[in-house]
Amino acid sequence: MSILVLGGAGYIGSHTVYELIDEGMEVVIADNLETGYAAAVHPKAKFYQGDIRNREFIDSVFDNEKIEAVIHFAANSLVGESMTNPLKYYDNNMCGTKVLLESMVAHGIDKIVFSSTAATYGEPESIPILETDNTKPTNTYGETKLSMEKMFYWVSRAHGLRYVSLRYFNACGAHVSGQIGEAHNPETHLIPLILKVPNGQRENITIFGDDYDTKDGTCVRDYIHVTDLAQAHILAVKYLMNGGASDIFNLGNGVGFTVKEVIETARKVTGHPIPAVTVERRAGDPAKLIASSEKAVKVLGWKPQFADLEKIIESAWKWHSTHPNGYNK
Ligand code: UFG
């Protein structure tokens, strides 16, 4: 029996595949390679190139392979783009999931782990954020992820499927081997953008606002290493295999760092002065996002290994300094 990883050539998907294979599991990947990279596909995984919106394609994967559970990363995930092109997010994220679920139900596949996001909460009502807090997304990306969670809920009630939804906070870092890492085009995330400065690809990093109500005026985020996220997916698959009920879990370190602290840590790790320039706030950025992941720790037995921001940035730097253009030569 295999685990099917949809979007296994993307950032978090590829790191999860590496961990699954390290655990001795059989892995099948399906990815349309729109935002993923063939070079990120683990050589021991079986790979199908195709789109989950294509029913024939996804049916053929389930017909050809013996799939025990699905891990679903196949979605668009850029907040800014989701605001200028919302229908792209409804089409890929929601229609893709609808077709996937139709095919899973038809094939009797009843376990799915889903890649969700802190963006489902919107502006937090309190810190740290709990899974039971209000969900009022402030962007289309978060809205579609929340709708996908609800789709799982109603389909699970009707068809007996079980799901685990994992709401990530700020995914970052790279595999310790330095073989795979973060590669978005365009890049919008803080840590890879900071590291473009010591890589000679940017003159400085821009800080989006220093007048927030935080200790140094810059936004606070909960940075969580991609390998820790990957481990949580494996625990979630095992939880479902052991008969666990459908549930939702936050994944973060429970510690917040300001943008200035992240830049300062990157200076220490790279030995580069990394000039920073403060500009206007970016629309839609909440001042503070910090997770309570106690539920994942308690129920799934999750233990993040990379609690230290310096270690996280070291792993990211190992990847970016050796792959300044990501997977492109
Ligand atoms: N930032 C800068 N300068 C930059 C880039 C980012 O100051 O050049 C700041 C942002 O304003 C924010 C922080 O750095 O305060 C982190 O920004 P990212 O873009 O790296 O991440 P976000 O917190 O905006 O987004 C992350 C995930 C999203 C998810 C969201 C949940 O990347 O997928 O958390 O709210 F939706």
Side-chain angles (χ1 to χ4, degrees):
M1 295 293 269
S2 304
I3 307 295
L4 174 62
V5 182
L6 304 170
Y11 174 41
I12 306 171
S14 61
H15 285 77
T16 301
V17 170
Y18 269 61
E19 297 306 304
L20 287 166
I21 286 175
D22 276 356
E23 292 251 333
M25 296 193 185
E26 299 281 324
V27 179
V28 175
I29 295 175
D31 197 303
N32 64 7
L33 296 184
E34 233 171 64
T35 54
Y37 297 89
V41 170
H42 195 292
K44 287 192 182 150
K46 189 156 180 192
F47 178 61
Y48 289 85
Q49 184 173 353
D51 197 301
I52 59 164
R53 284 165 290 189
N54 178 343
R55 177 72 194 264
E56 269 174 37
F57 167 72
I58 194 72
D59 277 348
S60 73
V61 176
F62 288 128
D63 288 339
N64 289 333
E65 304 291 340
K66 284 199 167 60
I67 302 299
E68 164 103 44
V70 176
I71 308 183
H72 179 22
F73 297 98
N76 290 109
S77 62
L78 297 177
V79 171
E81 182 190 55
S82 81
M83 295 303 277
T84 53
N85 195 356
L87 292 174
K88 176 175 176 177
Y89 282 69
Y90 277 90
D91 178 42
N92 192 24
N93 297 5
M94 291 192 59
C95 298
T97 300
K98 174 197 155 254
V99 176
L100 166 68
L101 285 172
E102 284 169 347
S103 184
M104 283 180 67
V105 169
H107 288 84
I109 293 160
D110 63 357
K111 293 182 271 309
I112 183 162
V113 175
F114 171 59
S115 160
S116 189
T117 169
T120 52
Y121 294 107
E123 193 69 47
E125 48 184 327
S126 56
I127 295 289
I129 300 172
L130 293 166
E131 290 85 351
T132 46
D133 286 357
N134 275 336
T135 45
K136 284 196 193 146
T138 52
N139 53 63
T140 317
Y141 165 63
E143 184 69 41
T144 56
K145 287 274 174 164
L146 185 61
S147 303
M148 289 152 88
E149 287 189 352
K150 291 181 179 171
M151 213 189 295
F152 291 120
Y153 171 75
W154 293 109
V155 173
S156 73
R157 284 186 56 142
H159 299 288
L161 165 151
R162 284 174 299 124
Y163 66 93
V164 165
S165 179
L166 300 174
R167 292 179 176 164
Y168 323 144
F169 282 64
N170 287 62
C172 55
H175 195 261
V176 283
S177 66
Q179 278 175 351
I180 52 170
E182 190 166 7
H184 296 113
N185 191 16
E187 189 50 79
T188 61
H189 297 105
L190 180 63
I191 294 175
L193 287 176
I194 292 173
L195 295 176
K196 282 184 187 290
V197 182
N199 252 348
Q201 295 163 306
R202 273 179 83 118
E203 300 257 301
N204 52 50
I205 181 71
T206 46
I207 298 173
F208 296 147
D210 63 1
D211 56 350
Y212 287 93
D213 184 17
T214 59
K215 64 178 171 185
D216 62 20
T218 64
C219 287
V220 171
R221 292 289 180 275
D222 184 337
Y223 294 90
I224 180 76
H225 195 277
V226 63
T227 299
D228 284 330
L229 292 179
Q231 281 297 336
H233 291 77
I234 295 177
L235 293 168
V237 166
K238 289 182 178 167
Y239 164 86
L240 289 175
M241 283 179 178
N242 291 331
S246 297
D247 214 337
I248 296 175
F249 299 92
N250 285 340
L251 298 179
N253 267 316
V255 182
F257 292 97
T258 67
V259 173
K260 284 187 179 168
E261 285 171 335
V262 176
I263 297 170
E264 197 46 50
T265 308
R267 288 181 179 132
K268 201 169 156 201
V269 168
T270 62
H272 189 284
I274 312 183
V277 178
T278 302
V279 297
E280 290 290 289
R281 288 182 177 198
R282 183 172 69 178
D285 273 340
K288 242 185 187 187
L289 290 174
I290 302 174
S292 162
S293 304
E294 273 178 32
K295 187 174 165 188
V297 170
K298 218 193 244 164
V299 178
L300 300 178
W302 186 51
K303 287 193 202 85
Q305 304 295 315
F306 291 83
D308 181 21
L309 185 63
E310 206 173 311
K311 289 258 165 356
I312 291 178
I313 296 183
E314 266 169 24
S315 75
W317 181 230
K318 184 169 176 183
W319 159 254
H320 289 289
S321 59
T322 53
H323 299 79
N325 299 312
Y327 293 99
N328 300 321
K329 291 267 163 351

